[in-house]
Amino acid sequence: MFWNREMETIGEADLEELQLSRLKWTVAQARNIEFYQKAFSRAGVAPGDIECLDDIEKLPFTRKADLREGYPFGFLAVPMHDVVRIHTTSGTTGKPTVVCYTRQDIENWTELIARNLMMIGLTADDVFQNALGYGMFTGGLGFHYGAERIGMTVIPSATGNTKRQIEMIDDFGVTAINCTPSYGLHLAEVAEEMGSSLDSLKTAVFGAEPWSESMRAELERRLGVRAFDSYGMSEMYGPGAGFECEERDGLHIWHDCFLIEIIDPATGERLPDGERGELVVTPLVKEAMPLIRYRTGDITRILTEDCPCGRNGRIDRLSGRADDMLVIRGINVFPSQIEHTLLALPEVGDQFMVYVDRINHLDEMTIEVELNRRYFSGELADLQRIQQKVAGAIREALNLRTTVKLVEPGSLPRFEGKAKRVIDRRGAIW
Ligand SMILES: [Zn+2]
């Protein structure tokens, strides 16, 4: 189902024309911000230099650190009189980032959320429990407005009080829930303890945290739902900039509102479609806080095949952060690629460690991975076969020869919170 069929299925030529006119508008809007006046003049670029979409490469990047330095209103392009709402990011490291919205910004964001929710089959007949934070975090209010716009019955449950959340699902006949994947698992656990089967639930939207395909399977089984991935960040209004359709094969990015590029995070160079790198986003219709080439730090790639749903353009689900990237013998390697490869091999578990050394001026990568318990007492020949299979799969995925060591189940460190699976022993590069 389409909320806005014309825009969701716009043809390539029309889209490019729209993107170009909106990019020119955004560059002009950004000129209201001192940071961009200076950045454009440093880069020797004027708004008139943007004549085609590829000219975006002439424009400078914007980094998260720039936004932090602009605290609180350094990136505001309109008078405060025109701002109708302020959100902030959580600010786990240093000052939070402030995001301001005009009335039109809120309207555009609402439209995108409405597209997303209708794209996964939700309608005015659905009862939508919105279990995301409603405060300064963009998740709660962002979804709230879009779901109301479709005409859904919205329950602004926010987070916490899990037993009450489950009672509401049962008592109000909730058909769709929106929360973080980790809260989804918690809900499932508490529902199981309470003996609730969550019968009415059919659909779940998960976002705000990375989550794997195996977690999707577990969430779907335990909550009895079809689960969809939601991507966004407050710099792009909030949630909903990218969303899975019913095919669940990558995230649709709303190209009329966001111009995307994939760059090599080490060099800043633009990569061809299909190659994995850092997602860079230029929002095209943001009034209060226009951004130019915002480096998201998220790693993905552009999917070039057409989606059967008929909508344009997709990116792969996010696969890690640019900060985690390793450069091994000139090849960019993301730990998430290793994890992804190992998860597909039944002979090994999901615990691994990566060591990087420089031996005789050459980078060497060693991957230690725990054997699956079922294979642990196998014959030596079996172990050699497994070792070769794992090394072959890693070579295929990374295009890189590595040393693979199989270790005893349970012998590698376990991590609470963010895992530190990579030990780079190469020291400083001069
Ligand atoms: Zn699709």
Side-chain angles (χ1 to χ4, degrees):
M1 280 182 295
F2 294 91
W3 173 256
N4 182 345
R5 180 188 288 269
E6 190 190 345
M7 204 46 91
E8 292 177 47
T9 61
I10 185 171
E12 210 167 311
D14 288 342
L15 176 65
E16 281 183 15
E17 197 184 315
L18 183 68
Q19 285 179 326
L20 180 59
S21 75
R22 289 182 169 178
L23 176 63
K24 288 177 178 175
W25 176 84
T26 296
V27 170
Q29 185 77 348
R31 294 259 301 163
N32 294 324
I33 298 167
E34 195 188 339
F35 172 87
Y36 284 119
Q37 291 164 11
K38 287 182 178 162
F40 292 170
S41 89
R42 263 200 310 275
V45 59
D49 295 339
I50 304 298
E51 289 169 351
C52 65
L53 287 174
D54 283 338
D55 285 339
I56 196 171
E57 287 189 75
K58 297 175 183 168
L59 298 171
F61 292 118
T62 312
R63 292 176 171 78
K64 181 87 179 171
D66 298 325
L67 298 185
R68 279 207 198 99
E69 277 168 30
Y71 180 90
F73 299 126
F75 279 80
L76 188 59
V78 298
M80 193 55 83
H81 173 81
D82 294 340
V83 173
V84 299
R85 198 194 297 168
I86 294 174
H87 280 286
T88 61
T89 62
S90 54
T92 43
T93 49
K95 282 231 168 86
T97 310
V98 176
V99 190
C100 300
Y101 303 75
T102 63
R103 194 173 299 284
Q104 187 62 45
D105 288 335
I106 298 283
E107 178 60 32
N108 293 341
W109 187 16
T110 301
E111 150 88 18
L112 297 189
I113 298 283
R115 287 188 203 172
N116 291 330
L117 296 177
M118 198 156 258
M119 179 165 69
I120 61 172
L122 299 179
T123 68
D125 294 327
D126 281 287
V127 182
F128 184 79
Q129 188 153 322
N130 194 22
L132 283 177
Y134 267 73
M136 298 311 287
F137 175 54
T138 51
L141 283 169
F143 273 100
H144 186 103
Y145 278 54
E148 270 191 2
R149 180 64 56 88
I150 291 178
M152 282 195 252
T153 309
V154 182
I155 300 166
S157 67
T159 53
N161 206 347
T162 307
K163 282 191 176 153
R164 182 76 194 108
Q165 299 252 9
I166 287 159
E167 284 166 11
M168 286 195 287
I169 293 172
D170 286 339
D171 296 346
F172 301 161
V174 170
T175 58
I177 189 152
N178 178 30
C179 61
T180 62
S182 52
Y183 193 65
L185 280 181
H186 182 62
L187 268 177
E189 258 166 33
V190 176
E192 283 155 22
E193 279 165 24
M194 290 169 69
S196 164
S197 59
L198 304 174
D199 277 338
S200 59
L201 270 190
K202 305 270 181 294
T203 304
V205 174
F206 296 115
E209 294 166 1
W211 51 298
S212 63
E213 287 299 327
S214 56
M215 194 153 174
R216 186 197 311 258
E218 184 177 356
L219 283 161
E220 291 196 329
R221 181 176 54 78
R222 293 177 69 181
L223 292 170
V225 293
R226 283 195 92 209
F228 295 89
D229 193 9
S230 155
Y231 172 69
M233 59 184 59
S234 50
E235 294 84 352
M236 299 155 78
Y237 300 123
F243 219 82
E244 282 182 331
C245 68
E246 299 214 55
E247 303 293 328
R248 302 192 301 177
D249 183 17
L251 298 157
H252 284 285
I253 292 276
W254 298 116
H255 284 310
D256 55 323
C257 296
F258 302 103
L259 192 59
I260 63 168
E261 303 167 84
I262 302 290
I263 61 161
D264 182 324
T267 65
E269 266 170 55
R270 209 153 146 185
L271 296 174
D273 287 358
E275 269 189 47
R276 205 172 282 279
E278 181 178 353
L279 177 67
V280 172
V281 178
T282 303
L284 293 174
V285 290
K286 278 185 82 191
E287 289 184 343
M289 267 190 59
L291 287 173
I292 304 292
R293 303 188 86 194
Y294 183 66
R295 290 186 62 158
T296 65
D298 287 323
I299 298 300
T300 183
R301 66 194 173 100
I302 291 173
L303 301 178
T304 46
E305 315 83 52
D306 289 335
C307 185
C309 81
R311 291 174 183 83
N312 302 295
R314 281 170 301 160
I315 56 169
D316 211 349
R317 293 187 71 202
L318 283 297
S319 61
R321 299 279 304 163
D323 311 341
D324 298 334
M325 186 182 81
L326 295 161
V327 183
I328 311 285
R329 277 174 258 149
I331 294 174
N332 296 350
V333 173
F334 299 101
S336 55
Q337 289 174 284
I338 299 171
E339 180 171 21
H340 199 76
T341 307
L342 296 176
L343 276 174
L345 300 170
E347 293 89 346
V348 293
D350 54 7
Q351 299 293 330
F352 67 96
M353 287 295 293
V354 177
Y355 300 93
V356 186
D357 295 288
R358 182 160 291 145
I359 298 166
N360 297 331
H361 307 291
L362 266 185
D363 299 328
E364 297 292 342
M365 188 160 79
T366 306
I367 299 168
E368 288 185 353
V369 59
E370 290 182 3
L371 262 172
N372 187 316
R373 207 162 281 283
R374 269 185 297 145
Y375 296 86
F376 180 53
S377 50
E379 300 283 324
L380 190 61
D382 286 341
L383 294 181
Q384 275 169 352
R385 182 187 58 77
I386 294 171
Q387 194 270 344
Q388 280 165 11
K389 180 177 171 184
V390 175
I394 295 278
R395 189 171 55 237
E396 183 125 321
L398 304 185
N399 199 16
L400 193 72
R401 180 188 48 74
T402 63
T403 305
V404 170
K405 286 184 181 163
L406 302 174
V407 301
E408 199 176 319
S411 65
L412 290 178
R414 262 57 177 167
F415 298 95
E416 278 186 30
K418 194 171 159 50
K420 282 201 177 56
R421 300 195 185 280
V422 179
I423 311 277
D424 193 337
R425 300 186 281 214
R426 287 176 294 183
I429 300 165
W430 301 102

